[in-house]
Amino acid sequence: MIYRGNIVAGEGECFVTPSFEYQNFSRRLDDDEGESLIPLGETTLRARFSAESSGTWTVFAFIADPNMVKNRNIHTPDGTKKCSPSVEFVVAQQPHFVNPQEDFVSLCGHNKQMLCQVKGGHAVFLVGENMAWAGANGTFSYDKWIPSLSQNGGNYIRLWLADEDTFMIRSNRTGLGTFDQRNAWKLDYVLQLARQNNVNVMLTLHSFNELSTKIYPTWSSNPLNEANGGPLAAPEAFFTSHQAVSLTKEYLQFIVARFGSYSNVIIWELWNEVDLVDGFSSGRIQREVCDWHNWISAWLHDMDLMQVFIILFLFVPAKLYVSTGLKT
């Protein structure tokens, strides 16, 4: 059973968003040790949602079988499913001028090939850089980098959830089924900082290193590795293993629940350079990668209320499109 927060629009629409565990922290910077986090209070269960329209909204939590949530619009669940009193809140009418920090980005223009603000209607041109991870100073580094980028005309960064020291949510350190609350808090902090500085963000959810034993490999520390108690005997089994699929859905659900409601999170990058994983030279593995990407993208799109863009980054893009017909 999975706890989910149910959010019902005043017009009668019903949306479901997953909940997530949250631990608050304070941070400290030590000259010798770098950043450290100190837990504050107890771990709580939370849900996040960004209303795209004004009016009265009702929120309540209920327990649901994940199979009942097939897409973003569902019927209001039976009263017996409720496990909390409902709470109403009002979203005020937006003023004529829309603050870029509070607007979402969507496709627009001829053949929907441009990025535009949903409410403001202005085209969005991304100018920025890769700020994938930080060193020992952690979030304190972003206190310098992000405002500086914004002050010099930048409006976009890329952050990796594939580096254990900064934002990696699932690692051998936490094990399967649990997520790194410290790194999740760091990512929350940086996303809020980016939003305050009108900076959009792409989150890289996986990198080839996780399934590589040859090129900058981190397979030996991957929690999915059989040697670490995971279900995979070899890296290339990731794309077809039923257990890996289930664990990947659990991971993506946490990511969407916790970070998907930020208006400045505009892209989920499913993989960084996936064509560098072990075995990719095999036509069979290429087809399995494409099949995985196509169905997991559809599943993620259905589950994500904010409908964040989904991309796949390749080291040599042409060979995957030509050999397998990857959907775009």
Side-chain angles (χ1 to χ4, degrees):
M1 306 297 278
I2 298 176
Y3 285 92
R4 293 177 179 270
N6 188 44
I7 299 167
V8 186
E11 294 82 4
E13 297 174 282
C14 181
F15 304 103
V16 171
T17 184
S19 62
F20 59 91
E21 287 189 346
Y22 176 86
Q23 173 64 58
N24 195 17
F25 293 89
S26 63
R27 62 179 188 150
R28 182 177 62 202
L29 184 62
D30 183 86
D31 291 339
D32 297 324
E33 301 296 328
E35 180 180 49
S36 60
L37 299 184
I38 301 93
L40 297 175
E42 301 295 325
T43 300
T44 58
L45 195 66
R46 297 189 177 190
R48 288 175 174 166
F49 176 72
S50 291
E52 295 184 14
S53 61
S54 58
T56 301
W57 293 74
T58 303
V59 181
F60 61 88
F62 69 93
I63 301 174
D65 185 317
N67 293 323
M68 74 176 285
V69 185
K70 298 298 184 183
N71 53 54
R72 65 199 298 252
N73 298 300
I74 67 167
H75 297 295
T76 304
D78 183 82
T80 59
K81 295 291 184 181
K82 294 183 183 180
C83 63
S84 75
S86 62
V87 176
E88 285 192 355
F89 64 94
V90 176
V91 178
Q93 181 69 41
Q94 291 284 354
H96 178 70
F97 171 76
V98 178
N99 189 329
Q101 298 175 3
E102 300 172 355
D103 205 353
F104 291 85
V105 173
S106 183
L107 291 173
C108 66
H110 181 63
N111 293 328
K112 293 190 176 296
Q113 294 182 345
M114 292 179 62
L115 294 176
C116 293
Q117 293 175 336
V118 172
K119 298 172 184 174
H122 305 294
V124 177
F125 297 94
L126 301 179
V127 179
E129 59 186 278
N130 196 18
M131 290 189 184
W133 57 82
N137 288 349
T139 61
F140 287 93
S141 296
Y142 291 93
D143 286 337
K144 299 178 181 178
W145 297 343
I146 290 178
S148 178
L149 175 73
S150 179
Q151 291 162 13
N152 287 278
N155 66 351
Y156 162 81
I157 59 173
R158 180 188 187 217
L159 301 176
W160 278 32
L161 276 66
D163 180 78
E164 189 163 342
D165 292 330
T166 310
F167 302 123
M168 196 170 193
I169 303 299
R170 181 180 67 182
S171 68
N172 195 32
R173 183 173 58 203
T174 62
L176 296 174
T178 57
F179 303 106
D180 194 316
Q181 291 293 328
R182 292 177 180 272
N183 286 351
W185 186 92
K186 291 178 186 178
L187 185 54
D188 267 327
Y189 178 88
V190 172
L191 291 177
Q192 291 167 15
L193 178 64
R195 188 172 181 270
Q196 292 164 7
N197 285 273
N198 296 328
V199 172
N200 296 294
V201 181
M202 175 169 75
L203 293 181
T204 301
L205 308 183
H206 297 91
S207 179
F208 72 90
N209 318 70
E210 303 168 34
L211 301 181
S212 175
T213 60
K214 302 169 185 175
I215 306 173
Y216 302 111
T218 60
W219 168 247
S220 62
S221 60
N222 190 326
L224 294 169
N225 187 335
E226 190 176 68
N228 299 320
L232 303 182
E236 53 267 34
F238 172 88
F239 299 100
T240 55
S241 164
H242 293 297
Q243 288 177 286
V245 165
S246 178
L247 291 166
T248 298
K249 285 184 174 181
E250 185 180 76
Y251 166 67
L252 294 177
Q253 178 174 286
F254 178 84
I255 298 301
V256 169
R258 181 142 185 175
F259 309 113
S261 62
Y262 284 96
S263 59
N264 60 326
V265 173
I266 62 170
I267 301 172
W268 304 124
E269 183 184 25
L270 280 178
W271 278 92
N272 167 62
E273 298 178 345
V274 70
D275 48 335
L276 297 182
V277 302
D278 279 12
F280 194 82
S281 59
S282 161
R284 176 180 63 84
I285 299 298
Q286 291 178 22
R287 288 189 294 274
E288 290 173 355
V289 169
C290 278
D291 289 344
W292 181 92
H293 175 270
N294 290 335
W295 72 256
I296 202 73
S297 295
W299 176 85
L300 182 57
H301 188 268
D302 286 343
M303 194 257 296
D304 181 11
L305 289 182
M306 299 297 107
Q307 303 289 274
V308 175
F309 301 125
I310 302 168
I311 70 168
L312 183 73
F313 180 47
L314 305 169
F315 186 69
V316 184
K319 67 183 180 184
L320 193 58
Y321 283 100
V322 171
S323 64
T324 61
L326 179 69
K327 293 180 182 178
T328 59

